[in-house]
Each structure stands twice: as structure tokens, then as C-alpha cells.
């Protein structure tokens, strides 16, 4: 948990400097999920997908975050909404 919190803090600082960095945004969402904050993670993955709708890692992360948040129906909808190439 400490490593996840440290990663979350590091990526949040990087995003303040480079808010359009999609990779940093994805890694920040991953760190939020690892830190147990599924709601923040889902928001981050959605932000990534707004700019990169075919990002398979963001789709997978979004579904994991929604499941972790207890939003099974939204997770299923996310799977259905993902582009075929992202469903792997």
C-alpha cells in the first residue's frame, strides 16, 4: 500500500506539470486502484479513454476499477463499449 500511495503521489505531481500526458494519467489511475481508491481510478481511466478511446490498458483498468467499486453493471457495460481490439 505504501508503494501504491507513493506512486499515486508521484504521478499526481507529474500530471500537474504535464496534464496531457496520457501515460502518466494511465499510471496514476493504476496507482489509485492499487491504493484502494477505485472511484478515483475509474475517473482516471475514463480521462485516458476520452483522449485515447482504443487504449486497451485503460479499458481493462476501467473494468477492474468498476468491479472493485462494486459496480458490476457498469463494468459489464464497459466491456461491451470497449472497441473489439481492446477486448483481447
Amino acid at each position: 500500500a505504501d508503494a501504491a500511495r507513493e506512486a499515486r503521489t508521484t504521478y499526481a505531481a507529474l500530471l500537474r506539470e504535464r496534464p496531457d500526458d496520457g501515460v502518466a494519467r494511465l499510471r496514476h489511475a493504476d496507482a489509485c486502484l492499487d491504493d484502494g481508491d477505485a472511484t478515483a481510478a475509474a475517473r482516471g481511466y475514463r480521462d485516458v479513454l476520452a483522449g485515447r478511446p482504443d487504449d486497451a490498458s485503460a479499458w481493462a483498468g476501467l473494468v477492474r476499477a468498476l468491479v472493485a467499486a462494486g459496480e458490476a453493471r457498469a463494468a459489464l457495460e464497459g466491456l461491451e463499449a470497449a472497441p473489439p481490439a481492446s477486448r483481447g
Side-chain angles (χ1 to χ4, degrees):
D2 289 338
R5 182 145 304 144
E6 185 176 329
R8 185 176 180 176
T9 301
T10 299
Y11 284 113
L14 180 60
L15 286 170
R16 282 191 294 277
E17 294 175 20
R18 299 184 345 214
D20 295 329
D21 187 328
V23 172
R25 188 158 306 283
L26 179 64
R27 297 296 173 245
H28 180 256
D30 290 340
C32 288
L33 187 57
D34 291 344
D35 193 33
D37 191 344
T39 301
R43 186 171 46 249
Y45 293 125
R46 285 183 176 119
D47 287 347
V48 171
L49 291 167
R52 299 182 343 199
D54 293 331
D55 190 309
S57 294
W59 279 109
L62 177 59
V63 170
R64 287 192 327 270
L66 292 170
V67 168
E71 298 182 34
R73 183 176 304 272
L76 181 58
E77 290 169 359
L79 284 173
E80 292 171 350
S86 299
R87 295 182 196 161

Short mmCIF file of all heavy atoms in Angstrom, two decimals, residues 18-59:
data_model
loop_
_atom_site.label_atom_id
_atom_site.label_comp_id
_atom_site.label_asym_id
_atom_site.label_seq_id
_atom_site.Cartn_x
_atom_site.Cartn_y
_atom_site.Cartn_z
N ARG A 18 2.43 18.12 -16.38
CA ARG A 18 2.12 17.70 -17.76
C ARG A 18 0.72 17.07 -17.79
O ARG A 18 0.58 15.86 -17.90
CB ARG A 18 3.17 16.71 -18.24
CG ARG A 18 4.55 17.31 -18.25
CD ARG A 18 5.65 16.44 -18.80
NE ARG A 18 5.40 15.03 -18.96
CZ ARG A 18 6.31 14.09 -18.81
NH1 ARG A 18 7.54 14.41 -18.49
NH2 ARG A 18 6.02 12.83 -19.00
N PRO A 19 -0.32 17.91 -17.71
CA PRO A 19 -1.69 17.37 -17.61
C PRO A 19 -2.17 16.58 -18.81
O PRO A 19 -3.13 15.82 -18.70
CB PRO A 19 -2.54 18.63 -17.39
CG PRO A 19 -1.71 19.76 -17.87
CD PRO A 19 -0.27 19.35 -17.67
N ASP A 20 -1.51 16.72 -19.94
CA ASP A 20 -1.93 16.00 -21.14
C ASP A 20 -1.15 14.70 -21.36
O ASP A 20 -1.29 14.08 -22.41
CB ASP A 20 -1.79 16.90 -22.37
CG ASP A 20 -2.72 18.09 -22.31
OD1 ASP A 20 -3.81 17.95 -21.71
OD2 ASP A 20 -2.37 19.16 -22.84
N ASP A 21 -0.34 14.30 -20.41
CA ASP A 21 0.47 13.10 -20.53
C ASP A 21 -0.41 11.88 -20.28
O ASP A 21 -0.73 11.54 -19.14
CB ASP A 21 1.63 13.16 -19.52
CG ASP A 21 2.62 12.02 -19.69
OD1 ASP A 21 2.20 10.91 -20.08
OD2 ASP A 21 3.81 12.24 -19.42
N GLY A 22 -0.81 11.22 -21.36
CA GLY A 22 -1.71 10.08 -21.26
C GLY A 22 -1.12 8.90 -20.52
O GLY A 22 -1.83 8.20 -19.78
N VAL A 23 0.17 8.66 -20.68
CA VAL A 23 0.81 7.55 -19.99
C VAL A 23 0.83 7.81 -18.48
O VAL A 23 0.50 6.93 -17.68
CB VAL A 23 2.24 7.29 -20.52
CG1 VAL A 23 2.97 6.26 -19.68
CG2 VAL A 23 2.18 6.85 -21.98
N ALA A 24 1.17 9.03 -18.09
CA ALA A 24 1.17 9.38 -16.67
C ALA A 24 -0.24 9.28 -16.10
O ALA A 24 -0.44 8.82 -14.97
CB ALA A 24 1.74 10.79 -16.46
N ARG A 25 -1.23 9.68 -16.87
CA ARG A 25 -2.62 9.61 -16.41
C ARG A 25 -3.03 8.14 -16.20
O ARG A 25 -3.68 7.79 -15.22
CB ARG A 25 -3.55 10.28 -17.42
CG ARG A 25 -4.97 10.40 -16.91
CD ARG A 25 -5.75 11.48 -17.60
NE ARG A 25 -5.15 12.79 -17.60
CZ ARG A 25 -5.13 13.62 -16.55
NH1 ARG A 25 -5.67 13.24 -15.42
NH2 ARG A 25 -4.58 14.80 -16.65
N LEU A 26 -2.61 7.28 -17.13
CA LEU A 26 -2.90 5.85 -17.01
C LEU A 26 -2.21 5.26 -15.78
O LEU A 26 -2.83 4.53 -14.99
CB LEU A 26 -2.46 5.11 -18.27
CG LEU A 26 -2.67 3.60 -18.29
CD1 LEU A 26 -4.16 3.27 -18.23
CD2 LEU A 26 -2.04 3.01 -19.53
N ARG A 27 -0.94 5.59 -15.58
CA ARG A 27 -0.19 5.07 -14.43
C ARG A 27 -0.77 5.61 -13.11
O ARG A 27 -0.79 4.90 -12.11
CB ARG A 27 1.29 5.41 -14.55
CG ARG A 27 1.97 4.79 -15.74
CD ARG A 27 1.96 3.26 -15.65
NE ARG A 27 2.46 2.68 -16.88
CZ ARG A 27 1.72 1.95 -17.71
NH1 ARG A 27 0.47 1.68 -17.43
NH2 ARG A 27 2.23 1.46 -18.80
N HIS A 28 -1.24 6.86 -13.13
CA HIS A 28 -1.86 7.41 -11.93
C HIS A 28 -3.14 6.64 -11.60
O HIS A 28 -3.39 6.30 -10.44
CB HIS A 28 -2.16 8.90 -12.13
CG HIS A 28 -2.78 9.54 -10.93
ND1 HIS A 28 -4.13 9.83 -10.87
CD2 HIS A 28 -2.26 9.91 -9.74
CE1 HIS A 28 -4.40 10.36 -9.69
NE2 HIS A 28 -3.28 10.43 -8.99
N ALA A 29 -3.93 6.34 -12.61
CA ALA A 29 -5.15 5.56 -12.38
C ALA A 29 -4.80 4.17 -11.84
O ALA A 29 -5.45 3.69 -10.91
CB ALA A 29 -5.96 5.46 -13.67
N ASP A 30 -3.76 3.54 -12.40
CA ASP A 30 -3.31 2.24 -11.90
C ASP A 30 -2.93 2.34 -10.42
O ASP A 30 -3.30 1.48 -9.61
CB ASP A 30 -2.10 1.74 -12.68
CG ASP A 30 -2.40 1.34 -14.12
OD1 ASP A 30 -3.58 1.07 -14.45
OD2 ASP A 30 -1.44 1.29 -14.91
N ALA A 31 -2.20 3.40 -10.08
CA ALA A 31 -1.76 3.58 -8.69
C ALA A 31 -2.95 3.83 -7.77
O ALA A 31 -2.98 3.34 -6.64
CB ALA A 31 -0.75 4.72 -8.60
N CYS A 32 -3.94 4.57 -8.24
CA CYS A 32 -5.15 4.80 -7.44
C CYS A 32 -5.84 3.46 -7.15
O CYS A 32 -6.27 3.20 -6.02
CB CYS A 32 -6.12 5.73 -8.16
SG CYS A 32 -5.59 7.45 -8.21
N LEU A 33 -5.94 2.62 -8.17
CA LEU A 33 -6.58 1.33 -7.99
C LEU A 33 -5.77 0.47 -7.02
O LEU A 33 -6.33 -0.14 -6.10
CB LEU A 33 -6.74 0.63 -9.34
CG LEU A 33 -7.56 -0.66 -9.34
CD1 LEU A 33 -8.95 -0.44 -8.77
CD2 LEU A 33 -7.64 -1.22 -10.75
N ASP A 34 -4.45 0.45 -7.18
CA ASP A 34 -3.59 -0.31 -6.28
C ASP A 34 -3.67 0.22 -4.85
O ASP A 34 -3.49 -0.54 -3.89
CB ASP A 34 -2.14 -0.26 -6.75
CG ASP A 34 -1.91 -1.03 -8.04
OD1 ASP A 34 -2.77 -1.84 -8.42
OD2 ASP A 34 -0.86 -0.80 -8.67
N ASP A 35 -3.97 1.50 -4.71
CA ASP A 35 -4.07 2.14 -3.39
C ASP A 35 -5.46 1.96 -2.78
O ASP A 35 -5.73 2.43 -1.69
CB ASP A 35 -3.72 3.63 -3.53
CG ASP A 35 -3.49 4.31 -2.20
OD1 ASP A 35 -2.98 3.66 -1.27
OD2 ASP A 35 -3.80 5.52 -2.08
N GLY A 36 -6.36 1.30 -3.52
CA GLY A 36 -7.69 1.02 -2.99
C GLY A 36 -8.74 2.07 -3.29
O GLY A 36 -9.84 2.00 -2.76
N ASP A 37 -8.41 3.05 -4.14
CA ASP A 37 -9.37 4.10 -4.47
C ASP A 37 -9.94 3.85 -5.86
O ASP A 37 -9.52 4.44 -6.85
CB ASP A 37 -8.69 5.47 -4.39
CG ASP A 37 -9.67 6.63 -4.47
OD1 ASP A 37 -10.84 6.41 -4.87
OD2 ASP A 37 -9.27 7.76 -4.15
N ALA A 38 -10.91 2.93 -5.91
CA ALA A 38 -11.47 2.52 -7.19
C ALA A 38 -12.21 3.66 -7.89
O ALA A 38 -12.20 3.74 -9.12
CB ALA A 38 -12.42 1.34 -6.99
N THR A 39 -12.81 4.55 -7.12
CA THR A 39 -13.55 5.66 -7.73
C THR A 39 -12.60 6.60 -8.46
O THR A 39 -12.86 6.99 -9.60
CB THR A 39 -14.34 6.43 -6.64
OG1 THR A 39 -15.24 5.51 -6.02
CG2 THR A 39 -15.11 7.58 -7.23
N ALA A 40 -11.49 6.97 -7.82
CA ALA A 40 -10.50 7.84 -8.47
C ALA A 40 -9.87 7.13 -9.67
O ALA A 40 -9.61 7.75 -10.70
CB ALA A 40 -9.43 8.27 -7.48
N ALA A 41 -9.64 5.82 -9.52
CA ALA A 41 -9.07 5.06 -10.63
C ALA A 41 -10.01 5.07 -11.83
O ALA A 41 -9.57 5.33 -12.96
CB ALA A 41 -8.79 3.63 -10.19
N ALA A 42 -11.29 4.81 -11.61
CA ALA A 42 -12.25 4.81 -12.71
C ALA A 42 -12.29 6.16 -13.40
O ALA A 42 -12.30 6.24 -14.63
CB ALA A 42 -13.65 4.43 -12.20
N ARG A 43 -12.27 7.22 -12.61
CA ARG A 43 -12.25 8.58 -13.18
C ARG A 43 -11.00 8.77 -14.04
O ARG A 43 -11.07 9.29 -15.15
CB ARG A 43 -12.32 9.60 -12.05
CG ARG A 43 -12.45 11.02 -12.50
CD ARG A 43 -12.74 11.99 -11.35
NE ARG A 43 -11.89 11.78 -10.17
CZ ARG A 43 -12.32 11.31 -8.99
NH1 ARG A 43 -13.59 10.99 -8.82
NH2 ARG A 43 -11.47 11.16 -7.99
N GLY A 44 -9.87 8.30 -13.56
CA GLY A 44 -8.63 8.43 -14.32
C GLY A 44 -8.64 7.64 -15.61
O GLY A 44 -8.21 8.12 -16.66
N TYR A 45 -9.14 6.41 -15.55
CA TYR A 45 -9.22 5.61 -16.77
C TYR A 45 -10.17 6.25 -17.78
O TYR A 45 -9.88 6.26 -18.98
CB TYR A 45 -9.67 4.18 -16.45
CG TYR A 45 -8.66 3.38 -15.66
CD1 TYR A 45 -9.01 2.79 -14.46
CD2 TYR A 45 -7.36 3.22 -16.12
CE1 TYR A 45 -8.09 2.05 -13.73
CE2 TYR A 45 -6.43 2.49 -15.40
CZ TYR A 45 -6.80 1.90 -14.21
OH TYR A 45 -5.88 1.18 -13.49
N ARG A 46 -11.26 6.80 -17.29
CA ARG A 46 -12.19 7.49 -18.21
C ARG A 46 -11.52 8.70 -18.85
O ARG A 46 -11.75 8.99 -20.03
CB ARG A 46 -13.45 7.89 -17.47
CG ARG A 46 -14.38 6.74 -17.19
CD ARG A 46 -15.66 7.19 -16.51
NE ARG A 46 -16.57 6.09 -16.33
CZ ARG A 46 -17.01 5.66 -15.15
NH1 ARG A 46 -16.63 6.25 -14.04
NH2 ARG A 46 -17.85 4.64 -15.08
N ASP A 47 -10.69 9.40 -18.08
CA ASP A 47 -9.95 10.54 -18.64
C ASP A 47 -9.02 10.08 -19.76
O ASP A 47 -8.91 10.73 -20.79
CB ASP A 47 -9.15 11.26 -17.56
CG ASP A 47 -10.01 12.07 -16.60
OD1 ASP A 47 -11.20 12.30 -16.90
OD2 ASP A 47 -9.48 12.47 -15.54
N VAL A 48 -8.34 8.97 -19.53
CA VAL A 48 -7.45 8.43 -20.56
C VAL A 48 -8.26 8.08 -21.80
O VAL A 48 -7.89 8.44 -22.93
CB VAL A 48 -6.68 7.18 -20.06
CG1 VAL A 48 -5.93 6.50 -21.20
CG2 VAL A 48 -5.73 7.54 -18.92
N LEU A 49 -9.37 7.40 -21.60
CA LEU A 49 -10.19 6.96 -22.74
C LEU A 49 -10.81 8.12 -23.50
O LEU A 49 -11.06 8.00 -24.70
CB LEU A 49 -11.27 6.00 -22.25
CG LEU A 49 -10.72 4.65 -21.78
CD1 LEU A 49 -11.78 3.88 -21.03
CD2 LEU A 49 -10.17 3.86 -22.96
N ALA A 50 -11.00 9.25 -22.85
CA ALA A 50 -11.52 10.42 -23.55
C ALA A 50 -10.56 10.88 -24.64
O ALA A 50 -10.98 11.34 -25.70
CB ALA A 50 -11.78 11.56 -22.57
N GLY A 51 -9.28 10.70 -24.40
CA GLY A 51 -8.28 11.10 -25.39
C GLY A 51 -7.76 9.96 -26.24
O GLY A 51 -7.25 10.17 -27.34
N ARG A 52 -7.88 8.74 -25.70
CA ARG A 52 -7.36 7.56 -26.40
C ARG A 52 -8.38 6.43 -26.28
O ARG A 52 -8.21 5.50 -25.51
CB ARG A 52 -6.01 7.14 -25.80
CG ARG A 52 -4.98 8.22 -25.93
CD ARG A 52 -3.60 7.89 -25.42
NE ARG A 52 -3.47 6.78 -24.52
CZ ARG A 52 -2.42 6.60 -23.72
NH1 ARG A 52 -1.44 7.48 -23.72
NH2 ARG A 52 -2.34 5.55 -22.92
N PRO A 53 -9.46 6.52 -27.06
CA PRO A 53 -10.57 5.57 -26.90
C PRO A 53 -10.24 4.12 -27.21
O PRO A 53 -11.01 3.23 -26.84
CB PRO A 53 -11.65 6.12 -27.83
CG PRO A 53 -10.95 7.01 -28.78
CD PRO A 53 -9.74 7.53 -28.07
N ASP A 54 -9.14 3.85 -27.87
CA ASP A 54 -8.76 2.48 -28.19
C ASP A 54 -7.72 1.90 -27.24
O ASP A 54 -7.16 0.83 -27.50
CB ASP A 54 -8.23 2.40 -29.63
CG ASP A 54 -9.32 2.70 -30.66
OD1 ASP A 54 -10.50 2.42 -30.36
OD2 ASP A 54 -8.98 3.21 -31.73
N ASP A 55 -7.44 2.59 -26.14
CA ASP A 55 -6.39 2.16 -25.22
C ASP A 55 -6.87 0.94 -24.42
O ASP A 55 -7.68 1.05 -23.50
CB ASP A 55 -6.04 3.32 -24.27
CG ASP A 55 -4.81 3.01 -23.44
OD1 ASP A 55 -4.76 1.93 -22.82
OD2 ASP A 55 -3.90 3.86 -23.42
N ALA A 56 -6.35 -0.23 -24.79
CA ALA A 56 -6.78 -1.48 -24.16
C ALA A 56 -6.46 -1.50 -22.67
O ALA A 56 -7.25 -2.02 -21.87
CB ALA A 56 -6.13 -2.67 -24.87
N SER A 57 -5.33 -0.94 -22.28
CA SER A 57 -4.97 -0.93 -20.86
C SER A 57 -5.95 -0.09 -20.05
O SER A 57 -6.32 -0.44 -18.93
CB SER A 57 -3.55 -0.38 -20.68
OG SER A 57 -2.62 -1.25 -21.25
N ALA A 58 -6.38 1.03 -20.62
CA ALA A 58 -7.34 1.89 -19.93
C ALA A 58 -8.70 1.20 -19.82
O ALA A 58 -9.37 1.29 -18.79
CB ALA A 58 -7.46 3.24 -20.63
N TRP A 59 -9.12 0.52 -20.87
CA TRP A 59 -10.40 -0.21 -20.81
C TRP A 59 -10.33 -1.29 -19.75
O TRP A 59 -11.25 -1.45 -18.94
CB TRP A 59 -10.75 -0.82 -22.17
CG TRP A 59 -11.38 0.15 -23.10
CD1 TRP A 59 -10.83 0.68 -24.22
CD2 TRP A 59 -12.70 0.72 -22.99
NE1 TRP A 59 -11.72 1.56 -24.82
CE2 TRP A 59 -12.87 1.60 -24.08
CE3 TRP A 59 -13.73 0.58 -22.09
CZ2 TRP A 59 -14.04 2.32 -24.29
CZ3 TRP A 59 -14.91 1.30 -22.28
CH2 TRP A 59 -15.05 2.16 -23.37
#
